[in-house]
Amino acid sequence: MSDASTPGDVEPSHDHEHHHEGPGYATPQAAIEEGEREELAYVMGLYVGTDVDAPDFVSVVDLDPDSDTYCEIVDRIELPNRGDELHHFGWNACSSSCHMDGLERRHLIVPGQRSSRIHVIDAQDRRNPELETVIEPEEVFEYDLSAPHTVHCIPDGEILISMLGDADGELPGGFLELNEDFEIEGRWEPPGEIEMNYDYWYQPRQNVMVSSEWAAPKTYYPGFDLEDVEEGNYGQRLHFWDWEAGTVEQTIDLGEEGLIPLEVRFLHTPESTHGFVGAALSSNIFHFWRDESAADGDGEYRAEKVIDFESREHDDWDMPVPALPTDILISMDDRYLFGSNWLHGEVWMYDISDPSNPRRADSLSVGGTFGEVQEVQGRELAAGPQMIQLSLDGERLYWTTSLFSSWDDQFYPEESERGSVMLKADVDPRKGTMELDEDFLVDWGECPAGPARAHEIRWPDGDCTSDVWQ
């Protein structure tokens, strides 16, 4: 993908001063060119909402096609408590700290969505990581926060975690900051800056952070209820922050076409202000960007719907089935936007060379309610594509199938009985095509304690959904 052009009106800068002495890569292009093929993946494994009485775990998956254990879970880091609901996780350091001599991309920060417990795993031995320390929920509740979600390291070794609720699981949420010794530094933002919270991404060279909205934990924990939508209990706003001050500078209400804006991504190019967010319930993708000519020349952010997935009729549903695009990511060269439609059973890629006018490149129909492929290697698929991850060179797309335990049980109850799977597509970025690799299957249905769910995926040396550049 090194020949791809940078989208939009932003040219990649090579004159920004970088002293690459720390973790990660000096630029996104360096990640493409210098990153090695992923041989291991860390994947969230969980038993919440199943009949198995066991703690959640972090799976170590062998992705080396030359290995005797290819496609197998070769290690499980079991956590000390039950009921955490592992969900999203991240590294203690990434390319945003590539100038920091002495920092390593070594520790995984693994929160429990339901428990608010935060685990720190030492992954210096990539194949045999070990639990190092645990921040107990009571320590988190002291800051009137709960339900940790997105973990990003921030420059200079600190860690910022989006929190979706207060200590009682109600609104508002906020952000919790950890120092480089994995101690709670405090609440990052002044309380009251936002009501709802979910995912976030920051672009330090532009001094901006963007955050999205799901709902209060007490709303989404039990499962999806249409009455909550009618009562306005789900989010539909994007918040643009002054990154250094930690204060909200602008909020954009996406309206009914932007219900439940989940994963939010800036382009990797650090000079860019372009990005995308997937509105899951409305089944739309919005493009956002900073319009420097707006507000009498002071500039402000704009958001516009650029992709619309139509609902589909199904005999078993009383209403048209929404696509539910629950995850999106941007290839490291900023050329393609990938996503997953969990209910329809589709993974897709759009060419975003012009981010205002994404062009559908290819898609795969697999699993879910409508997927053309409903089994791989004889293994029946119990749910649709959900969390996705792309190789640094953009040539392999992987995905798992669990969304959230109570939502899984509601829409795909067989997921708890059979467990999740991890699948893969081979991507040709030059042609803009994908092909399902039917020889690839990782099965959480065969775990020793019983079938487990699988959620977010991370590479040991950085990936398209966690690395940020200063």
Side-chain angles (χ1 to χ4, degrees):
M1 293 173 94
S2 58
D3 60 343
S5 60
T6 300
D9 53 2
V10 177
E11 293 296 327
S13 170
H14 301 291
D15 58 2
H16 190 83
E17 203 168 326
H18 266 292
H19 304 286
H20 185 197
E21 298 171 335
Y25 307 92
T27 64
Q29 187 63 33
I32 296 169
E33 295 176 355
E34 299 170 11
E36 297 181 355
R37 179 183 171 125
E38 64 287 351
E39 294 186 348
L40 291 175
Y42 301 123
V43 184
M44 295 290 88
L46 58 156
Y47 282 117
V48 174
T50 73
D51 293 333
V52 179
D53 182 22
D56 296 348
F57 57 93
V58 179
S59 316
V60 181
V61 178
D62 188 340
L63 298 181
D64 180 0
D66 295 326
S67 168
D68 292 339
T69 53
Y70 180 52
C71 293
E72 293 182 14
I73 300 169
V74 293
D75 193 19
R76 276 175 290 273
I77 304 98
E78 296 193 5
L79 302 181
N81 296 278
R82 289 166 169 73
D84 284 315
E85 179 121 26
L86 302 186
H87 195 62
H88 286 218
F89 65 133
W91 286 103
N92 67 307
C94 76
S95 296
S96 69
S97 298
C98 72
H99 60 289
M100 292 289 293
D101 186 19
L103 267 183
E104 295 180 76
R105 195 196 313 255
R106 169 172 170 174
H107 289 91
L108 286 165
I109 315 302
V110 183
Q113 233 291 313
R114 287 184 188 267
S115 68
S116 300
R117 186 174 288 108
I118 300 170
H119 312 84
V120 179
I121 291 175
D122 185 345
Q124 183 178 34
D125 182 343
R126 296 309 205 199
R127 290 184 72 93
N128 299 286
E130 295 181 350
L131 179 64
E132 180 170 306
T133 189
V134 178
I135 299 173
E136 294 295 341
E138 293 74 19
E139 301 174 67
V140 175
F141 298 154
E142 288 183 15
Y143 297 87
D144 200 19
L145 292 169
S146 69
H149 190 270
T150 298
V151 177
H152 274 299
C153 55
I154 57 181
D156 305 339
E158 296 182 319
I159 296 145
L160 191 63
I161 307 174
S162 64
M163 310 291 290
L164 275 54
D166 67 12
D168 297 320
E170 303 281 4
L171 298 176
F175 291 87
L176 189 73
E177 185 174 354
L178 309 183
N179 63 27
E180 58 184 308
D181 295 321
F182 313 117
E183 300 163 334
I184 296 179
E185 188 79 8
R187 186 168 181 144
W188 177 76
E189 92 294 3
E193 285 290 295
I194 54 172
E195 185 180 30
M196 295 184 192
N197 203 4
Y198 182 70
D199 192 29
Y200 80 99
W201 195 285
Y202 66 100
Q203 198 72 309
R205 206 174 296 185
Q206 297 291 339
N207 190 35
V208 63
M209 182 179 92
V210 58
S211 64
S212 58
E213 296 186 336
W214 191 4
K218 284 192 174 177
T219 298
Y220 65 80
Y221 275 177
F224 178 73
D225 187 335
L226 201 54
E227 286 189 7
D228 283 320
V229 179
E230 295 166 352
E231 294 173 2
N233 294 334
Y234 281 107
Q236 57 185 46
R237 299 174 187 82
L238 287 182
H239 305 283
F240 294 89
W241 301 67
D242 182 310
W243 170 242
E244 292 183 358
T247 55
V248 175
E249 295 295 300
Q250 185 186 349
T251 292
I252 296 178
D253 189 331
L254 302 174
E256 292 186 358
E257 293 194 309
L259 279 170
I260 311 186
L262 294 181
E263 313 304 334
V264 60
R265 321 288 188 201
F266 271 115
L267 298 191
H268 298 287
T269 303
E271 298 89 348
S272 179
T273 63
H274 292 267
F276 294 87
V277 63
L281 188 59
S282 301
S283 299
N284 296 317
I285 307 298
F286 281 76
H287 165 227
F288 58 83
W289 74 102
R290 184 172 176 83
D291 180 355
E292 295 295 347
S293 65
D296 295 328
D298 289 337
E300 64 181 16
Y301 275 87
R302 309 281 196 197
E304 180 181 39
K305 185 184 74 172
V306 289
I307 301 173
D308 185 347
F309 296 103
E310 295 287 337
S311 297
R312 299 175 64 177
E313 300 287 343
H314 192 282
D315 291 342
D316 296 337
W317 280 62
D318 296 330
M319 56 180 281
V321 183
L324 213 72
T326 47
D327 195 16
I328 61 170
L329 67 74
I330 296 172
S331 60
M332 195 57 82
D333 66 355
D334 290 338
R335 181 174 178 182
Y336 290 109
L337 178 72
F338 292 83
S340 59
N341 291 348
W342 189 58
L343 287 182
H344 281 189
E346 183 182 41
V347 288
W348 44 263
M349 61 186 291
Y350 275 72
D351 187 327
I352 54 170
S353 299
D354 177 359
S356 299
N357 297 286
R359 180 183 61 80
R360 190 180 184 94
D362 202 2
S363 65
L364 293 174
S365 180
V366 53
T369 308
F370 298 96
E372 294 172 0
V373 176
Q374 286 292 347
E375 65 175 41
V376 174
Q377 297 181 26
R379 166 65 151 92
E380 192 170 343
L381 307 177
Q386 215 285 105
M387 294 310 296
I388 57 177
Q389 191 54 266
L390 184 69
S391 59
L392 292 175
D393 62 8
E395 296 185 358
R396 293 165 297 283
L397 180 73
Y398 302 80
W399 64 90
T400 56
T401 52
S402 170
L403 174 60
F404 194 71
S405 62
S406 50
W407 294 46
D408 289 351
D409 290 343
Q410 195 169 356
F411 295 101
Y412 293 116
E414 292 183 355
E415 184 83 346
S416 70
E417 301 166 4
R418 297 181 181 176
S420 299
V421 296
M422 183 175 173
L423 300 177
K424 164 179 167 281
D426 292 318
V427 180
D428 186 333
R430 296 180 186 278
K431 296 178 180 176
T433 58
M434 293 188 291
E435 182 178 1
L436 181 67
D437 180 355
E438 299 201 34
D439 293 327
F440 183 94
L441 173 76
V442 184
D443 193 349
W444 274 259
E446 298 176 349
C447 291
R453 307 180 197 275
H455 195 68
E456 192 172 46
I457 306 164
R458 293 250 169 266
W459 308 141
D461 296 312
D463 50 58
C464 296
T465 58
S466 63
D467 268 59
V468 172
W469 277 267
Q470 282 204 79

